[in-house]
Amino acid sequence: MQNLAEPNQLVDICNVSVDAELPKQERLADYVRRIKDPYNFKCGRFTFRARYAEGSPPLEDCLRQIMS
């Protein structure tokens, strides 16, 4: 089982900004680095804990789709 952080230890993505001048791949890498754990984060008062089923696309592909 995955070790989950306490909600008060999670990064709030509302407070994360990425340099729009960076190339797309670097923006994605910077975003993931800043939020620390793309599977567990906050957005305002909501906490997200992502889980993926076997055979689902990799998280990186999902994030690329969202950020493009």
Side-chain angles (χ1 to χ4, degrees):
M1 178 169 247
Q2 186 177 11
N3 184 16
L4 301 175
E6 292 296 320
N8 63 346
Q9 296 174 330
L10 298 174
V11 174
D12 188 336
I13 63 171
C14 293
N15 301 323
V16 174
S17 62
V18 176
D19 183 356
E21 298 296 316
L22 293 172
K24 189 188 311 186
Q25 288 295 94
E26 290 181 36
R27 283 195 315 263
L28 179 61
D30 186 43
Y31 181 76
V32 171
R33 182 184 56 76
R34 289 174 187 262
I35 66 172
K36 298 180 183 172
D37 185 352
Y39 295 97
N40 299 295
F41 56 88
K42 292 188 305 187
C43 183
R45 61 188 176 113
F46 298 100
T47 300
F48 292 85
R49 300 199 192 280
R51 293 175 33 184
Y52 295 90
E54 189 172 321
S56 294
L59 176 63
E60 293 82 6
D61 291 351
C62 295
L63 287 173
R64 279 189 195 102
Q65 203 170 27
I66 291 169
M67 295 183 74
S68 60

